[in-house]
Amino acid sequence: MNQRWIIVAAILLTALFVQMPVVLNTDLSCLLSEGEQILDGRQLGVDLFELNPPLSIYLYMPAAQLARWTGIAPEIIVIVLVIIEIIGSLVVIDRAAAAAKLDARERNIWTCVLAFLLAVLPGAVFGQREHIAVIAMTPFVAVTAIRWRRLSPGLAAILAGLGAGLAISIKPQLGLVAGLPIILGAIRQRSLRPLFTPEACAAAAVAIGYGAVVVIAFPDYLLTYAPMVAATYLPMRRDLAYLLPFPILIITASIVFLRRVTSQGLRLESEATPWLAAAIGGAASFLIQGKGWTYTLYPLCMFAIAAPLLHVRTGALPRLVRIGGFVSVVLIGFWLSLSVRDFPPLEQRINALAKHPKLLTIGDHVALGHPLVRQIGGTWVGSSCGQLLTAGAILVQNSSQPSQAERAKLDGIIHFERRQLLADLRNGRPDVILVDSYLQGKVPFDWLAWAKADPELDMELRRYREAEDVGRVRIFFDQSRPER
């Protein structure tokens, strides 16, 4: 086996064993639970509601189905499938590099560096949608970088385009990661040809095809739920003063290192330009999403590090540059893995009330119920992972002056989520209900009072008795349950 693939195997095995105890995070747990509900017969947009487009759930359903067939935990299967995706991505990139007749040294650097950036750098981001999308997108950026040097990537370009189309379908904002490099190519060549390469056409075909599938197969989601998400969830964003500093810092650092490590410096003609443009596209994606969540920074960080690392051409780098580069990568990896526990430990308290309980939460914070429900071996009975639309509607009502028609629309969305909560209580019969006491984790808010404002909900909730308060969480259990 070629030495570089031995190194890649070592990197991937390291990632496998590092991720096994830590991969289960809030988003992954929520989406796996929703995928399992679809396997059990629920319909997206009818009796199951997810803020993100349908592919977000269906992306994890193979892992959920394989888990049922094998008995292996689905989160472990997610790790294995992601590692297989990384291998596929690296093989496509290597085939494109071989077709372009890049020398062995450069191919070795590309393969090993990208294996590290795709498998190890993500840390706590591993397995999340952004990570999966970036893995799928990286061959496209590599092919664009090859064409930037006026070389041919061969037929691997089509596979790279299919991967980019998948990435854009997962997160449409990541179209900027693929789009900026080819737009720069069009400007550089003063021609539209870079916009219509085989890989660009393949990416567009996949993205358009996915859009058509959503229209045809998920009309309830598209016509009913998506407009409510647009009205309430999308406006929930951080201000630019909070969002801008980190992207500016990372892009600036990437440019500084590029100027020190490459013989070409930083010019439009530089071989590193497509990678840097992809990083800027990642920064734009982060700003457009506007949530400020750590995992949405991964595309920016990955391509910003790749730009200088893939193009070290000078001989012996000064020690200060090497140390600075190493420290920067470590700090970025640490930042991507940084997480704040929003809720106190609840596992023992819930297990004392019910073993393997059916669980439901009332509140807008997904992390209240996930990954807790999987950690206690429980069953999620909610039709969504939280009342985020209600939180968005309340914030819009309080932060602006909506017209009477707009207020009526927002009240209708709040009523919709109350109806869903009522259906979850009646159909799911949860053993334990966790109730948050904050709105968006910052503003004190009585979610129990919000629920009980509906007479039918109030009647259903009378079956539950409060066990205790733990920090910001109130724990209720079904007092009619025969065993505790």
Side-chain angles (χ1 to χ4, degrees):
M1 183 185 292
N2 189 293
Q3 184 178 3
R4 63 186 155 138
W5 292 108
I6 295 176
I7 296 172
V8 168
I11 291 171
L12 296 180
L13 282 173
T14 300
L16 173 65
F17 290 114
V18 168
Q19 288 296 330
M20 285 177 68
V22 300
V23 71
L24 190 60
N25 54 62
T26 297
D27 282 359
L28 177 58
S29 172
C30 175
L31 292 169
L32 279 172
S33 296
E34 290 175 336
E36 289 167 345
Q37 288 176 317
I38 290 178
L39 291 175
D40 289 334
R42 290 206 184 193
Q43 292 180 279
L44 186 63
V46 178
D47 54 3
L48 178 66
F49 302 94
E50 164 57 38
L51 294 169
N52 297 287
L55 187 56
S56 296
I57 299 177
Y58 284 87
L59 196 63
Y60 296 100
M61 281 182 62
Q65 184 62 71
L66 286 170
R68 294 188 173 190
W69 288 341
T70 63
I72 300 172
E75 53 268 25
I76 302 301
I77 295 178
V78 168
I79 299 173
V80 174
L81 292 178
V82 170
I83 287 176
I84 291 172
E85 184 195 8
I86 293 172
I87 294 170
S89 177
L90 294 175
V91 168
V92 171
I93 292 169
D94 188 61
R95 290 301 84 205
K101 296 181 171 55
L102 300 188
D103 61 52
R105 176 182 176 277
E106 188 167 10
R107 287 171 62 188
N108 290 343
I109 291 174
W110 278 34
T111 303
C112 295
V113 167
L114 291 175
F116 170 80
L117 295 179
L118 294 175
V120 178
L121 179 70
V125 177
F126 194 99
Q128 297 204 46
R129 286 164 297 143
E130 243 84 1
H131 182 220
I132 293 171
V134 167
I135 296 169
M137 178 69 75
T138 300
F140 184 94
V141 179
V143 164
T144 304
I146 288 170
R147 290 196 188 278
W148 192 267
R149 296 159 66 171
R150 293 181 170 83
L151 302 173
S152 172
L155 294 177
I158 297 175
L159 293 176
L162 297 176
L166 172 63
I168 294 168
S169 300
I170 296 170
K171 272 293 182 80
Q173 298 90 341
L174 293 182
L176 293 167
V177 173
L180 285 185
I182 62 175
I183 289 171
L184 277 181
I187 294 172
R188 178 190 179 210
Q189 296 182 25
R190 298 181 182 180
S191 167
L192 295 179
R193 290 181 62 186
L195 305 180
F196 297 97
T197 57
E199 61 271 19
C201 293
V206 171
I208 293 170
Y210 168 67
V213 168
V214 171
V215 171
I216 296 169
F218 303 99
D220 294 302
Y221 169 84
L222 192 64
L223 299 176
T224 303
Y225 197 65
M228 291 191 284
V229 173
T232 58
Y233 180 68
L234 295 185
M236 296 164 60
R237 51 180 296 118
R238 299 273 195 165
D239 57 58
L240 283 177
Y242 177 89
L243 296 172
L244 276 174
F246 193 84
I248 291 174
L249 176 64
I250 294 299
I251 295 296
T252 302
S254 182
I255 292 172
V256 168
F257 279 107
L258 266 171
R259 293 178 66 88
R260 296 303 302 268
V261 305
T262 65
S263 57
Q264 295 177 323
L266 183 64
R267 306 189 308 270
L268 181 62
E269 299 293 324
S270 170
E271 295 174 3
T273 298
W275 297 94
L276 184 60
I280 294 171
S285 169
F286 171 74
L287 295 174
I288 289 171
Q289 292 180 73
K291 307 301 183 187
W293 294 323
T294 305
Y295 69 85
T296 57
L297 283 166
Y298 177 64
L300 158 65
C301 295
M302 186 275 183
F303 290 111
I305 294 173
L309 272 187
L310 294 176
H311 299 90
V312 176
R313 293 292 182 269
T314 56
L317 293 174
R319 178 177 295 182
L320 187 62
V321 174
R322 282 180 286 162
I323 293 174
F326 175 78
V327 170
S328 298
V329 172
V330 169
L331 288 176
I332 290 172
F334 174 77
W335 181 263
L336 289 174
S337 295
L338 194 62
S339 61
V340 177
R341 183 153 190 165
D342 298 286
F343 299 97
L346 300 172
E347 293 91 334
Q348 291 184 356
R349 288 177 167 87
I350 295 175
N351 284 329
L353 295 171
K355 299 296 184 183
H356 309 296
K358 293 185 286 184
L359 186 68
L360 187 65
T361 62
I362 302 177
D364 65 335
H365 207 309
V366 179
L368 177 56
H370 299 276
L372 173 64
V373 65
R374 308 187 78 85
Q375 291 169 339
I376 61 176
T379 302
W380 181 253
V381 295
S383 56
S384 68
C385 289
Q387 285 73 45
L388 275 160
L389 297 188
T390 292
I394 292 171
L395 291 174
V396 170
Q397 288 177 335
N398 293 341
S399 62
S400 63
Q401 295 181 334
S403 66
Q404 187 174 354
E406 291 170 336
R407 184 170 292 277
K409 179 181 178 181
L410 295 171
D411 287 339
I413 292 172
I414 294 172
H415 177 73
F416 172 84
E417 287 214 313
R418 281 199 178 104
R419 293 291 93 188
Q420 293 307 315
L421 179 58
L422 179 63
D424 294 340
L425 288 168
R426 288 175 173 173
N427 299 330
R429 292 295 180 186
D431 301 310
V432 177
I433 300 175
L434 305 178
V435 183
D436 199 2
S437 56
Y438 278 84
L439 185 73
Q440 284 292 284
K442 300 175 183 177
V443 182
F445 185 80
D446 191 341
W447 280 101
L448 187 63
W450 169 84
K452 287 190 170 186
D454 181 289
E456 291 181 271
L457 273 173
D458 182 43
M459 184 64 67
E460 288 293 330
L461 289 169
R462 289 180 185 179
R463 293 191 300 109
Y464 295 85
R465 184 159 65 88
E466 186 166 2
E468 59 180 320
D469 291 359
V470 185
R472 60 187 277 188
V473 182
R474 302 172 69 180
I475 304 176
F476 292 79
F477 67 95
D478 185 353
Q479 56 189 339
S480 65
R481 194 172 185 269
E483 296 182 4
R484 287 180 52 190

